[in-house]
Amino acid sequence: MDWGTTNRRAYSIDGAGRVIATERDDQGLLAVSKGGFANSATAIRALFGDLPMLCAGMVGSVKGWAEVPYQRCPVDLESLAANLLWVEPGRTALVPGVCTIADGVGDIMRGEEVQLLGAVAAGLAPADALLCQPGTHCKWARMTDSRLAGFRTGMTGEIFALLRKHSLLADFLDGDVRDGDAFRDGVALAQKGALLGPLFAERASALLGIRAREEIAAHVSGLLIGSDVREQALEPGSCVHILADPALGCLYAAAIDQLGGRSVPIDSHAAFVAGITHIWRMIRADAS
Amino acid sequence: MDWGTTNRRAYSIDGAGRVIATERDDQGLLAVSKGGFANSATAIRALFGDLPMLCAGMVGSVKGWAEVPYQRCPVDLESLAANLLWVEPGRTALVPGVCTIADGVGDIMRGEEVQLLGAVAAGLAPADALLCQPGTHCKWARMTDSRLAGFRTGMTGEIFALLRKHSLLADFLDGDVRDGDAFRDGVALAQKGALLGPLFAERASALLGIRAREEIAAHVSGLLIGSDVREQALEPGSCVHILADPALGCLYAAAIDQLGGRSVPIDSHAAFVAGITHIWRMIRADAS
């Protein structure tokens, strides 16, 4: 189970690591009361059968079922498997999140580690690679020798959501966000290194008739995603494997390619299933 | 009258340009109904006497008393005086805002232009200068030959407010914001050119115990204000005149000095009074 803050996705996986059934719903942490996680798991078993369950994601945070301490980078699937927290002994376990500290700056993730390590374990990405997981908080992960060596998170998606919902720019951000001239103009602008100025200028440019109102959302998206990519300081031609749903993945791919990188899409569901299956097999091997 | 979105400040000014009385209240645009501006002006006259009134600021926007078209840079006090909108003939006028378009990017201001041009007219800043007005939207204005030649706005204060009210970081931003080690660390971090990554890292660093929770607000403030200053690409040693209330002005001064500039504080009220008095004298001279 990939159990996040807002949504969750359950996969029923057979012994060969194949997905038998999958279901996504909105029963993320925010929808479950503090003591309600066991009942919520029972409801899932009613759908999928009475099977053991591994849960990754924010469900292992202080606001989730129980808090599982972070594992510190470098991390591999073995260290995740060795540090599960069994909330229902022998039946249900939570996968730990991962933390990293570099140059006195900390970073954390919960749930993404299973996808990242699973992508490499399944051969979807090489053992040494840069992986990108766009989302509310975009993860950029450096894999070394099949381990998660370090990572950095961009607040990109959350800033876009804040602007769209609560800012003075909100009324101007109802246009479609898709790859195109406006998006790519935003990416090019991001390359200049400024963000606070260009964000204010979006509204001004619309009011002055310099940019069509319906293009502002795509332009702001390009500016933010372009800034996120710029902050990675990619080597020219370097390869970035992207784990995301197709719509958001496409935008990141366009920005990465425009800024001199080379994007490769990966199936994020397949990566998660591979990661969680590997963890399960390690527990079974230990138990036998 | 400096009549903004949230607040307004009225000054009663004598023939010599001296302030006889001043009053600040929360009767900004948001508190006045569309047809209620004339009554609101009557109430002001009841306090200060039955005098002619010049109003600058968002009161001249589409959401204010009436919309006054922007004057395009370069702009001086003469062009503002020549383009007043009289909403009560001979009695009450609105000062136009200013726009600029540079490299295909637009920017706008309403109200700040009176302060900026007033600062130079009063000799508080030289005829050729870079002026900074911190606030929800921070203005950086280039004065050339006593005229407002161009400007750029940073969304700095609004982004900080959004983070504080609505973001995942909100719970971590209740500490004091003041100049000190945490603030200056944030400014130094801003100089590296990244923002989306460091913003996410604030929460992670607090959760991992790398930074004390009560220091996060000052550190984020330093990061944002430092980014705003960095986006100006100041020449080393270049002078920046700051028009702001002392608390916020101090933070910008610290960041400007830390990043190689030289800050000079200016009394923003005196600048506004000088600007509006000059405009009034020009109208009187034209009328006589």
Side-chain angles (χ1 to χ4, degrees):
Chain A
M1 175 100 84
D2 193 355
W3 201 331
T5 302
T6 314
N7 301 299
R8 64 179 182 183
R9 179 178 282 279
Y11 301 86
S12 173
I13 303 174
D14 72 8
R18 283 177 305 224
V19 176
I20 306 302
T22 179
E23 196 78 49
R24 182 175 184 275
D25 65 26
D26 58 2
Q27 293 298 297
L29 266 57
L30 299 178
V32 180
S33 69
K34 189 66 193 169
F37 285 94
N39 282 343
S40 198
T42 301
I44 287 286
R45 285 195 170 93
L47 278 176
F48 286 97
D50 188 14
L51 297 165
M53 200 186 293
L54 292 181
C55 306
M58 290 297 283
V59 69
S61 73
V62 66
K63 293 187 177 171
W65 195 334
E67 190 175 7
V68 198
Y70 294 107
Q71 297 297 305
R72 187 163 169 186
C73 286
V75 162
D76 54 20
L77 288 168
E78 280 78 4
S79 48
L80 297 184
N83 290 284
L84 298 178
L85 178 70
W86 290 93
V87 283
E88 296 179 320
R91 291 174 48 75
T92 309
L94 309 183
V95 180
V98 178
C99 70
T100 185
I101 301 173
D103 300 327
V105 177
D107 212 328
I108 49 179
M109 63 167 63
R110 282 199 190 271
E112 294 92 346
E113 66 290 332
V114 175
Q115 265 190 29
L116 294 165
L117 291 163
V120 175
L124 298 169
D128 297 279
L130 177 63
L131 272 59
C132 171
Q133 287 165 303
T136 303
H137 300 135
C138 178
K139 304 291 180 190
W140 294 82
R142 178 72 57 187
M143 312 303 290
T144 306
D145 199 16
S146 298
R147 302 200 296 177
L148 174 51
F151 63 94
R152 180 211 147 260
T153 307
M155 211 176 179
T156 321
E158 186 176 354
I159 295 285
F160 189 68
L162 289 173
L163 292 171
R164 208 167 201 174
K165 263 197 213 158
H166 300 293
S167 80
L168 204 71
L169 199 53
D171 289 347
F172 296 77
L173 291 179
D174 50 4
D176 284 345
V177 176
R178 59 172 165 228
D179 188 16
D181 288 347
F183 179 81
R184 289 175 186 236
D185 279 1
V187 173
L189 183 57
Q191 207 167 4
K192 295 187 185 173
L195 187 54
L196 297 168
L199 279 178
F200 182 84
E202 296 288 343
R203 187 169 142 271
S205 292
L207 289 173
L208 296 173
I210 298 172
R211 183 170 295 282
R213 208 176 169 110
E214 61 271 19
E215 284 186 351
I216 302 290
H219 194 258
V220 169
S221 173
L223 177 62
L224 286 171
I225 292 177
S227 295
D228 195 356
V229 175
R230 178 185 62 75
E231 291 187 13
Q232 294 313 307
L234 297 177
E235 296 289 326
S238 65
C239 193
V240 182
H241 290 77
I242 303 176
L243 295 140
D245 74 87
L248 187 56
C250 254
L251 295 177
Y252 267 82
I256 287 166
D257 295 344
Q258 188 177 337
L259 296 179
R262 203 158 47 80
S263 62
V264 180
I266 297 184
D267 181 334
S268 57
H269 297 295
F272 182 83
V273 169
I276 212 82
T277 301
H278 274 74
I279 293 173
W280 176 246
R281 286 180 184 158
M282 285 167 191
I283 313 168
R284 299 282 291 193
D286 283 351
S288 65
Chain B
M1 176 100 83
D2 192 354
W3 203 330
T5 302
T6 313
N7 300 299
R8 63 179 184 184
R9 180 177 280 282
Y11 301 87
S12 173
I13 302 172
D14 73 6
R18 282 178 306 225
V19 176
I20 306 302
T22 179
E23 197 77 50
R24 182 175 183 273
D25 65 26
D26 59 2
Q27 294 298 297
L29 267 56
L30 298 177
V32 180
S33 68
K34 189 67 195 169
F37 286 94
N39 282 342
S40 196
T42 301
I44 287 286
R45 284 194 170 93
L47 278 175
F48 286 96
D50 189 15
L51 297 164
M53 201 185 293
L54 292 181
C55 306
M58 289 297 284
V59 69
S61 73
V62 66
K63 292 186 178 172
W65 195 335
E67 190 175 6
V68 199
Y70 295 107
Q71 296 298 304
R72 185 161 171 186
C73 286
V75 161
D76 55 19
L77 288 168
E78 281 77 4
S79 48
L80 296 183
N83 289 283
L84 298 178
L85 178 69
W86 290 91
V87 284
E88 296 179 321
R91 290 174 48 76
T92 309
L94 309 183
V95 179
V98 178
C99 70
T100 184
I101 301 174
D103 300 327
V105 176
D107 212 328
I108 49 179
M109 64 167 63
R110 282 198 189 273
E112 294 92 346
E113 65 290 332
V114 175
Q115 266 190 29
L116 294 165
L117 291 163
V120 175
L124 299 170
D128 298 278
L130 177 62
L131 272 59
C132 172
Q133 286 165 303
T136 304
H137 300 135
C138 178
K139 305 290 180 191
W140 295 82
R142 178 73 57 187
M143 312 304 289
T144 304
D145 200 16
S146 297
R147 301 200 297 178
L148 173 51
F151 63 94
R152 181 211 148 262
T153 307
M155 212 176 177
T156 320
E158 186 177 353
I159 295 284
F160 189 68
L162 289 174
L163 291 172
R164 208 166 201 174
K165 262 196 217 161
H166 300 292
S167 79
L168 204 71
L169 199 53
D171 289 347
F172 296 78
L173 291 178
D174 50 4
D176 283 345
V177 175
R178 56 172 167 228
D179 188 15
D181 288 346
F183 179 81
R184 290 177 185 235
D185 279 0
V187 174
L189 183 57
Q191 207 166 3
K192 296 188 184 173
L195 188 54
L196 297 169
L199 280 178
F200 182 84
E202 296 288 344
R203 186 170 143 271
S205 292
L207 289 175
L208 296 173
I210 298 173
R211 185 170 293 283
R213 207 177 170 109
E214 60 271 20
E215 284 186 351
I216 302 290
H219 194 258
V220 169
S221 173
L223 177 62
L224 286 171
I225 291 176
S227 296
D228 196 357
V229 175
R230 178 185 61 76
E231 291 187 14
Q232 293 314 306
L234 297 177
E235 296 289 325
S238 64
C239 192
V240 182
H241 290 77
I242 303 178
L243 296 139
D245 73 87
L248 186 57
C250 256
L251 295 177
Y252 266 82
I256 287 166
D257 295 343
Q258 188 176 338
L259 296 180
R262 203 159 47 79
S263 61
V264 180
I266 298 184
D267 182 334
S268 57
H269 296 295
F272 181 83
V273 169
I276 212 82
T277 301
H278 274 73
I279 293 173
W280 176 248
R281 286 179 184 157
M282 285 167 193
I283 314 167
R284 300 282 291 193
D286 282 352
S288 66

